[in-house]
Amino acid sequence: MKVLLIGATGNLGIRLVAALLTHGHSVVAFVRSTKKLESLLPAPLFHQIAVVQGDATDAVLIKRAILDAGCDAVVNTAGLAAMAPWGKSELPAIFRAVVSAVREAGLERKKPLRAWFLAGLGVLYYPGSESMLSDYIPIYLEHRQNLYLLKSLPPDALDWSVLCPSTMTPESSDISVPTRNSCGQLIANATTPPFWQDSWMKHIPLIGKTLVCTMNAGRYETTLEQNADFVASDLESYESRWSGTTVGIIDGSK
């Protein structure tokens, strides 16, 4: 596929450049600063990709980048959610712009575009319930409003998936193709965290499920490289088992 990668200078984005190239995709990087991207990538990799410079809140420019480059898919890693429940960040504005651009480009193409977005563990559901994990640990709540936006779209407007990792850490500072991941492949599950460990503590009034969420949180730490490879691998096919859903992941090698 030809993939528009928004946020290519971020910790995950820069690794997605390498992962997408490793999996045979063509990459169009959408960044605020071409010079910054060039400083982060080895010269051979930088010259393998196309670069569009612009603001990720500019839906018109994002749509133009998709259509001018003939992109088949979009991956958005731009923006960081505010941690505090009352916090505000640029992420919702970026998210709205990307969704609008991808939807409009699909309408012009007369076919919904494939798109991966990034959220967090909190928008997954507590297994066996209709409550999100962020109902019990209320942080990074901007991811919730972003998910509600996607779910409000008509079914044929956008072929979306949302990757929902917990903490992501780097395996290495080396950005190269082919990528070399020292950790195992991720195990994924739709809407709920895979291999959730439940506990009798959930029955403790008021705080039980909060305790269980806290107990589980550290188990879902993954690497940036694993997540980049997961998305790049999924985009090898136009049909994805993760279409229209949030995706929880865990490191199966631990």
Side-chain angles (χ1 to χ4, degrees):
M1 285 193 187
K2 180 171 277 191
V3 180
L4 183 71
L5 174 58
I6 302 171
T9 59
N11 288 329
L12 179 58
I14 200 70
R15 288 163 174 83
L16 267 162
V17 172
L20 289 166
L21 291 172
T22 295
H23 284 269
H25 303 294
S26 298
V27 178
V28 181
F30 189 98
V31 293
R32 282 181 175 166
S33 170
T34 302
K35 287 184 177 180
K36 181 177 180 180
L37 181 61
E38 188 173 10
S39 71
L40 293 171
L41 283 175
L45 266 65
F46 181 78
H47 294 297
Q48 287 185 53
I49 67 175
V51 183
V52 176
Q53 185 167 295
D55 192 316
T57 62
D58 189 336
V60 173
L61 187 56
I62 296 169
K63 175 187 173 183
R64 189 185 311 150
I66 294 168
L67 295 175
D68 287 353
C71 293
D72 308 295
V74 175
V75 178
N76 178 50
T77 66
L80 295 172
M83 183 176 181
W86 56 86
K88 302 291 183 184
S89 77
E90 198 179 22
L91 178 62
I94 292 172
F95 203 94
R96 286 193 302 271
V98 175
V99 169
S100 175
V102 178
R103 183 182 182 185
E104 290 296 320
L107 287 171
E108 192 159 322
R109 292 258 194 86
K110 297 182 171 54
K111 181 181 179 181
L113 268 72
R114 184 83 184 102
W116 270 99
F117 297 92
L118 189 67
L121 198 64
V123 297
L124 298 173
Y125 286 93
Y126 192 105
S129 80
E130 296 182 358
S131 299
M132 288 183 179
L133 299 185
S134 54
D135 289 334
Y136 305 107
I137 302 180
I139 57 175
Y140 303 115
L141 296 183
E142 288 172 326
H143 290 312
R144 292 168 66 119
Q145 69 186 77
N146 293 340
L147 180 59
Y148 295 149
L149 172 60
L150 288 175
K151 289 187 172 182
S152 72
L153 298 173
D156 59 349
L158 182 60
D159 183 8
W160 59 268
S161 299
V162 181
L163 186 65
C164 303
S166 182
T167 304
M168 294 182 289
T169 57
E171 289 183 33
S172 169
S173 60
D174 176 49
I175 307 298
S176 59
V177 174
T179 54
R180 295 183 292 275
N181 297 339
S182 59
C183 297
Q185 288 189 332
L186 297 178
I187 295 173
N189 193 55
T191 72
T192 62
F195 300 130
W196 184 256
Q197 291 184 352
D198 222 339
S199 167
W200 62 269
M201 289 191 296
K202 71 179 180 181
H203 300 297
I204 299 174
L206 300 178
I207 63 168
K209 287 187 176 178
T210 299
L211 292 173
V212 177
C213 291
T214 303
M215 176 187 75
N216 273 281
R219 299 178 53 245
Y220 293 94
E221 181 176 305
T222 55
T223 71
L224 292 159
E225 288 81 358
Q226 285 176 307
N227 286 275
D229 187 75
F230 182 86
V231 172
S233 177
D234 177 76
L235 290 175
E236 288 184 359
S237 172
Y238 284 91
E239 301 295 328
S240 172
R241 63 180 292 197
W242 310 115
S243 292
T245 190
T246 52
V247 182
I249 43 91
I250 194 169
D251 184 344
S253 67
K254 290 184 178 179

